[in-house]
Amino acid sequence: MRSMMYLIKFGGSVITEKSNKNAVFKKSVMDKLAESLASAGKEYIIVHGAGSFGHVLAKKHDLNNGFQSDKQRIGFSMTQTKVQQLNTYVLQSLQKQGLPTVSIPPHATISLNNHVENEFQKEIYYKYLSKGFIPVTYGDVVLDKALGFSICSGDLLIESLSESFKPEKVIFVMDEDGLYKENPKMNPNAAFIDHISSEELNSLNTKLDDHADVTGGMQGKIETILQITNHNVDVLLLNGNKPDRLYDALVGNKTKYTLIQR
Ligand code: IPE
């Protein structure tokens, strides 16, 4: 649709202290990333993860397994508010850089059916984009036709939005530099991958066993990447703790990242 639009995912482990059971927003990291987006001056749709604002409560109330008891209702309600609070912090960082963001909450625009997309009202994204706004959405708890409710991850949103909007690229802003040929935590000399085709990534993926996590901790990511490249969209993985990398990747400067091309 918009050829120079970039679809960006800020991982929950980049913008929050994910392992902290108290929800902690990494404001200085988010502020720098917001600066990179503003300086690069492209069009964006932004998706962010929930990190410690979502996963702690969702686990405590067993929300991803669906509606099983009345007690979960307040857990769903509190989780929804907590991730919305993180969303407000993200919007404030972006607005400080003059970026005209609009929050689009998944719990009001999406429903799932046994964890997969059921309905997703995307017209609102088109309308805001066409008026020059930057839609921002996030991992959330949502209605689920089969389960009552479940979790809608940022990766599910990214995959579905990339299919509809065909961005120039999907950029995953992570807390790792990108992909390696072997698990970098098992082999510190594992070779870094600058550039790989989706076919090569697919064969690398099937060769790897469960212990050979080439992202160094982001299992499941490769499946999402391959689905996005199936929609004819290139994917870039980069480290959000080195904020210059996001800026450099957006403006076409040489920097460290992994590019996965269809
Ligand atoms: C999870 O979203 C949403 C909830 C737990 C409510 P994500 O799966 O996108 O979050 P991160 O990036 O892993 O933190």
Side-chain angles (χ1 to χ4, degrees):
M1 175 233 179
R2 302 167 79 85
S3 61
M4 288 312 277
M5 192 270 282
Y6 290 79
L7 183 51
I8 316 262
K9 160 97 195 268
F10 293 124
S13 51
V14 177
I15 62 167
T16 77
E17 281 176 24
K18 199 164 172 177
S19 54
N20 196 320
K21 67 175 172 18
N22 303 308
V24 180
F25 176 54
K26 293 204 243 168
K27 183 171 178 292
S28 60
V29 174
M30 186 62 230
D31 282 350
K32 287 190 194 132
L33 292 167
E35 219 178 293
S36 291
L37 294 186
S39 322
K42 310 285 183 185
E43 290 174 34
Y44 309 105
I45 294 178
I46 297 168
V47 178
H48 66 79
S52 45
F53 286 68
H55 291 288
V56 177
L57 279 171
K59 192 169 174 213
K60 184 175 169 202
H61 298 276
D62 197 23
L63 300 180
N64 206 28
N65 288 318
F67 204 168
Q68 306 143 69
S69 80
D70 288 344
K71 291 197 306 255
Q72 285 176 299
R73 230 181 250 115
I74 187 68
F76 180 97
S77 169
M78 287 166 67
T79 307
Q80 191 257 290
T81 297
K82 204 76 196 163
V83 294
Q84 197 154 36
Q85 182 183 49
L86 172 63
N87 179 246
T88 299
Y89 293 151
V90 171
L91 294 178
Q92 286 169 338
S93 279
L94 295 162
Q95 288 160 0
K96 258 194 316 201
Q97 302 300 326
L99 296 169
T101 52
V102 175
S103 171
I104 305 187
H107 63 263
T109 45
I110 295 172
S111 69
L112 302 180
N113 188 6
N114 202 13
H115 304 290
V116 300
E117 184 178 325
N118 182 40
E119 288 175 307
F120 190 167
Q121 291 159 38
K122 291 178 188 154
E123 305 77 28
I124 187 104
Y125 285 87
Y126 284 101
K127 286 179 183 167
Y128 277 119
L129 278 172
S130 68
K131 289 180 169 58
F133 288 99
I134 300 173
V136 183
T137 191
Y138 51 93
D140 198 1
V141 284
V142 301
L143 293 171
D144 186 303
K145 200 175 168 197
L147 302 172
F149 52 63
S150 63
I151 291 177
C152 174
S153 71
D155 285 1
L156 186 153
L157 295 163
I158 281 278
E159 201 237 300
S160 184
L161 290 167
S162 65
E163 182 177 19
S164 302
F165 291 92
K166 304 285 184 216
E168 175 69 18
K169 276 190 184 66
V170 167
I171 302 181
F172 284 97
V173 178
M174 327 188 297
D175 64 352
E176 299 286 340
D177 290 342
L179 293 179
Y180 296 83
K181 291 227 165 86
E182 297 164 70
N183 186 340
K185 283 173 185 156
M186 310 289 276
N187 177 5
N189 298 319
F192 186 75
I193 302 172
D194 303 302
H195 184 193
I196 189 169
S197 70
S198 48
E199 296 86 72
E200 286 171 305
L201 180 61
N202 197 16
S203 61
L204 181 66
N205 193 28
T206 48
K207 263 187 271 160
L208 296 165
D209 61 34
D210 288 346
H211 304 291
D213 181 5
V214 291
T215 63
M218 298 188 82
Q219 296 94 338
K221 188 63 89 195
I222 292 178
E223 285 308 317
T224 307
I225 294 167
L226 292 173
Q227 281 171 3
I228 296 167
T229 53
N230 278 342
H231 302 317
N232 248 350
V233 175
D234 293 345
V235 176
L236 213 142
L237 310 178
L238 56 78
N239 194 332
N241 298 311
K242 313 265 158 65
D244 290 346
R245 293 189 188 171
L246 176 59
Y247 173 80
D248 287 333
L250 284 165
V251 300
N253 293 341
K254 193 170 152 42
T255 186
K256 188 164 192 172
Y257 55 65
T258 298
L259 173 64
I260 303 105
Q261 276 180 309
R262 58 194 182 256

PDB file of all heavy atoms in Angstrom, residues 4-6 37-44 99 134 249-252:
ATOM      1  N   MET A   4       6.947   3.256   1.236  1.00  0.00           N
ATOM      2  CA  MET A   4       8.045   3.570   2.160  1.00  0.00           C
ATOM      3  C   MET A   4       7.608   3.517   3.627  1.00  0.00           C
ATOM      4  O   MET A   4       8.199   4.170   4.479  1.00  0.00           O
ATOM      5  CB  MET A   4       8.663   4.923   1.813  1.00  0.00           C
ATOM      6  CG  MET A   4       9.480   4.883   0.527  1.00  0.00           C
ATOM      7  SD  MET A   4      10.651   3.485   0.456  1.00  0.00           S
ATOM      8  CE  MET A   4      12.019   4.164   1.393  1.00  0.00           C
ATOM      9  N   MET A   5       6.583   2.743   3.885  1.00  0.00           N
ATOM     10  CA  MET A   5       6.143   2.601   5.272  1.00  0.00           C
ATOM     11  C   MET A   5       6.918   1.451   5.934  1.00  0.00           C
ATOM     12  O   MET A   5       7.116   0.403   5.317  1.00  0.00           O
ATOM     13  CB  MET A   5       4.641   2.333   5.297  1.00  0.00           C
ATOM     14  CG  MET A   5       4.024   2.448   6.676  1.00  0.00           C
ATOM     15  SD  MET A   5       4.035   0.910   7.555  1.00  0.00           S
ATOM     16  CE  MET A   5       2.660   0.092   6.763  1.00  0.00           C
ATOM     17  N   TYR A   6       7.389   1.678   7.137  1.00  0.00           N
ATOM     18  CA  TYR A   6       8.106   0.651   7.884  1.00  0.00           C
ATOM     19  C   TYR A   6       7.246   0.175   9.051  1.00  0.00           C
ATOM     20  O   TYR A   6       6.658   0.995   9.767  1.00  0.00           O
ATOM     21  CB  TYR A   6       9.430   1.214   8.437  1.00  0.00           C
ATOM     22  CG  TYR A   6      10.442   1.468   7.354  1.00  0.00           C
ATOM     23  CD1 TYR A   6      10.361   2.616   6.552  1.00  0.00           C
ATOM     24  CD2 TYR A   6      11.463   0.561   7.098  1.00  0.00           C
ATOM     25  CE1 TYR A   6      11.259   2.851   5.526  1.00  0.00           C
ATOM     26  CE2 TYR A   6      12.377   0.783   6.075  1.00  0.00           C
ATOM     27  CZ  TYR A   6      12.270   1.925   5.299  1.00  0.00           C
ATOM     28  OH  TYR A   6      13.169   2.149   4.286  1.00  0.00           O
ATOM     29  N   LEU A  37      13.532   7.166  15.188  1.00  0.00           N
ATOM     30  CA  LEU A  37      12.394   7.169  14.252  1.00  0.00           C
ATOM     31  C   LEU A  37      12.133   8.580  13.738  1.00  0.00           C
ATOM     32  O   LEU A  37      11.901   8.786  12.542  1.00  0.00           O
ATOM     33  CB  LEU A  37      11.117   6.648  14.931  1.00  0.00           C
ATOM     34  CG  LEU A  37      11.074   5.179  15.359  1.00  0.00           C
ATOM     35  CD1 LEU A  37       9.676   4.829  15.867  1.00  0.00           C
ATOM     36  CD2 LEU A  37      11.463   4.248  14.217  1.00  0.00           C
ATOM     37  N   ALA A  38      12.182   9.551  14.651  1.00  0.00           N
ATOM     38  CA  ALA A  38      11.895  10.929  14.254  1.00  0.00           C
ATOM     39  C   ALA A  38      12.972  11.448  13.296  1.00  0.00           C
ATOM     40  O   ALA A  38      12.654  12.059  12.269  1.00  0.00           O
ATOM     41  CB  ALA A  38      11.796  11.822  15.492  1.00  0.00           C
ATOM     42  N   SER A  39      14.261  11.172  13.595  1.00  0.00           N
ATOM     43  CA  SER A  39      15.335  11.678  12.721  1.00  0.00           C
ATOM     44  C   SER A  39      15.290  11.017  11.352  1.00  0.00           C
ATOM     45  O   SER A  39      15.611  11.662  10.351  1.00  0.00           O
ATOM     46  CB  SER A  39      16.728  11.438  13.298  1.00  0.00           C
ATOM     47  OG  SER A  39      16.744  11.603  14.660  1.00  0.00           O
ATOM     48  N   ALA A  40      14.926   9.742  11.295  1.00  0.00           N
ATOM     49  CA  ALA A  40      14.903   9.050  10.001  1.00  0.00           C
ATOM     50  C   ALA A  40      13.739   9.542   9.132  1.00  0.00           C
ATOM     51  O   ALA A  40      13.819   9.481   7.901  1.00  0.00           O
ATOM     52  CB  ALA A  40      14.820   7.540  10.209  1.00  0.00           C
ATOM     53  N   GLY A  41      12.680  10.015   9.767  1.00  0.00           N
ATOM     54  CA  GLY A  41      11.600  10.683   9.042  1.00  0.00           C
ATOM     55  C   GLY A  41      10.852   9.834   8.031  1.00  0.00           C
ATOM     56  O   GLY A  41      10.511  10.301   6.940  1.00  0.00           O
ATOM     57  N   LYS A  42      10.588   8.574   8.364  1.00  0.00           N
ATOM     58  CA  LYS A  42       9.803   7.709   7.471  1.00  0.00           C
ATOM     59  C   LYS A  42       8.364   7.622   7.962  1.00  0.00           C
ATOM     60  O   LYS A  42       8.015   8.212   8.983  1.00  0.00           O
ATOM     61  CB  LYS A  42      10.406   6.295   7.447  1.00  0.00           C
ATOM     62  CG  LYS A  42      11.886   6.231   7.196  1.00  0.00           C
ATOM     63  CD  LYS A  42      12.214   6.483   5.755  1.00  0.00           C
ATOM     64  CE  LYS A  42      13.723   6.332   5.530  1.00  0.00           C
ATOM     65  NZ  LYS A  42      14.124   6.680   4.189  1.00  0.00           N
ATOM     66  N   GLU A  43       7.557   6.841   7.226  1.00  0.00           N
ATOM     67  CA  GLU A  43       6.212   6.524   7.723  1.00  0.00           C
ATOM     68  C   GLU A  43       6.290   5.204   8.487  1.00  0.00           C
ATOM     69  O   GLU A  43       7.034   4.301   8.093  1.00  0.00           O
ATOM     70  CB  GLU A  43       5.248   6.363   6.559  1.00  0.00           C
ATOM     71  CG  GLU A  43       4.957   7.682   5.866  1.00  0.00           C
ATOM     72  CD  GLU A  43       4.116   7.472   4.616  1.00  0.00           C
ATOM     73  OE1 GLU A  43       3.265   6.561   4.610  1.00  0.00           O
ATOM     74  OE2 GLU A  43       4.338   8.203   3.652  1.00  0.00           O
ATOM     75  N   TYR A  44       5.496   5.114   9.553  1.00  0.00           N
ATOM     76  CA  TYR A  44       5.583   3.922  10.390  1.00  0.00           C
ATOM     77  C   TYR A  44       4.217   3.418  10.847  1.00  0.00           C
ATOM     78  O   TYR A  44       3.293   4.206  11.031  1.00  0.00           O
ATOM     79  CB  TYR A  44       6.363   4.220  11.686  1.00  0.00           C
ATOM     80  CG  TYR A  44       7.692   4.887  11.499  1.00  0.00           C
ATOM     81  CD1 TYR A  44       7.865   6.244  11.790  1.00  0.00           C
ATOM     82  CD2 TYR A  44       8.790   4.166  11.031  1.00  0.00           C
ATOM     83  CE1 TYR A  44       9.095   6.871  11.633  1.00  0.00           C
ATOM     84  CE2 TYR A  44      10.031   4.781  10.872  1.00  0.00           C
ATOM     85  CZ  TYR A  44      10.169   6.131  11.167  1.00  0.00           C
ATOM     86  OH  TYR A  44      11.382   6.742  11.006  1.00  0.00           O
ATOM     87  N   LEU A  99       6.334  13.022  17.085  1.00  0.00           N
ATOM     88  CA  LEU A  99       5.688  12.007  16.235  1.00  0.00           C
ATOM     89  C   LEU A  99       4.191  11.915  16.579  1.00  0.00           C
ATOM     90  O   LEU A  99       3.832  11.673  17.738  1.00  0.00           O
ATOM     91  CB  LEU A  99       6.381  10.647  16.423  1.00  0.00           C
ATOM     92  CG  LEU A  99       7.847  10.611  15.962  1.00  0.00           C
ATOM     93  CD1 LEU A  99       8.541   9.333  16.424  1.00  0.00           C
ATOM     94  CD2 LEU A  99       7.938  10.743  14.439  1.00  0.00           C
ATOM     95  N   ILE A 134       0.651   8.132  13.009  1.00  0.00           N
ATOM     96  CA  ILE A 134       1.415   6.893  13.207  1.00  0.00           C
ATOM     97  C   ILE A 134       0.631   5.977  14.139  1.00  0.00           C
ATOM     98  O   ILE A 134       0.556   6.236  15.351  1.00  0.00           O
ATOM     99  CB  ILE A 134       2.798   7.200  13.826  1.00  0.00           C
ATOM    100  CG1 ILE A 134       3.591   8.134  12.899  1.00  0.00           C
ATOM    101  CG2 ILE A 134       3.562   5.905  14.112  1.00  0.00           C
ATOM    102  CD1 ILE A 134       4.896   8.616  13.506  1.00  0.00           C
ATOM    103  N   ALA A 249      19.833   1.784   9.972  1.00  0.00           N
ATOM    104  CA  ALA A 249      19.111   0.828   9.116  1.00  0.00           C
ATOM    105  C   ALA A 249      18.005   1.552   8.341  1.00  0.00           C
ATOM    106  O   ALA A 249      17.807   1.291   7.149  1.00  0.00           O
ATOM    107  CB  ALA A 249      18.518  -0.293   9.966  1.00  0.00           C
ATOM    108  N   LEU A 250      17.321   2.475   8.992  1.00  0.00           N
ATOM    109  CA  LEU A 250      16.212   3.180   8.329  1.00  0.00           C
ATOM    110  C   LEU A 250      16.691   4.088   7.194  1.00  0.00           C
ATOM    111  O   LEU A 250      16.029   4.206   6.165  1.00  0.00           O
ATOM    112  CB  LEU A 250      15.416   4.008   9.354  1.00  0.00           C
ATOM    113  CG  LEU A 250      14.480   3.211  10.266  1.00  0.00           C
ATOM    114  CD1 LEU A 250      14.028   4.058  11.452  1.00  0.00           C
ATOM    115  CD2 LEU A 250      13.261   2.708   9.485  1.00  0.00           C
ATOM    116  N   VAL A 251      17.847   4.725   7.394  1.00  0.00           N
ATOM    117  CA  VAL A 251      18.305   5.658   6.357  1.00  0.00           C
ATOM    118  C   VAL A 251      19.250   4.996   5.356  1.00  0.00           C
ATOM    119  O   VAL A 251      19.724   5.639   4.416  1.00  0.00           O
ATOM    120  CB  VAL A 251      18.954   6.942   6.945  1.00  0.00           C
ATOM    121  CG1 VAL A 251      17.956   7.693   7.831  1.00  0.00           C
ATOM    122  CG2 VAL A 251      20.235   6.633   7.702  1.00  0.00           C
ATOM    123  N   GLY A 252      19.560   3.703   5.569  1.00  0.00           N
ATOM    124  CA  GLY A 252      20.387   2.981   4.602  1.00  0.00           C
ATOM    125  C   GLY A 252      21.878   3.066   4.858  1.00  0.00           C
ATOM    126  O   GLY A 252      22.674   2.756   3.975  1.00  0.00           O
TER     127      GLY A 252
END
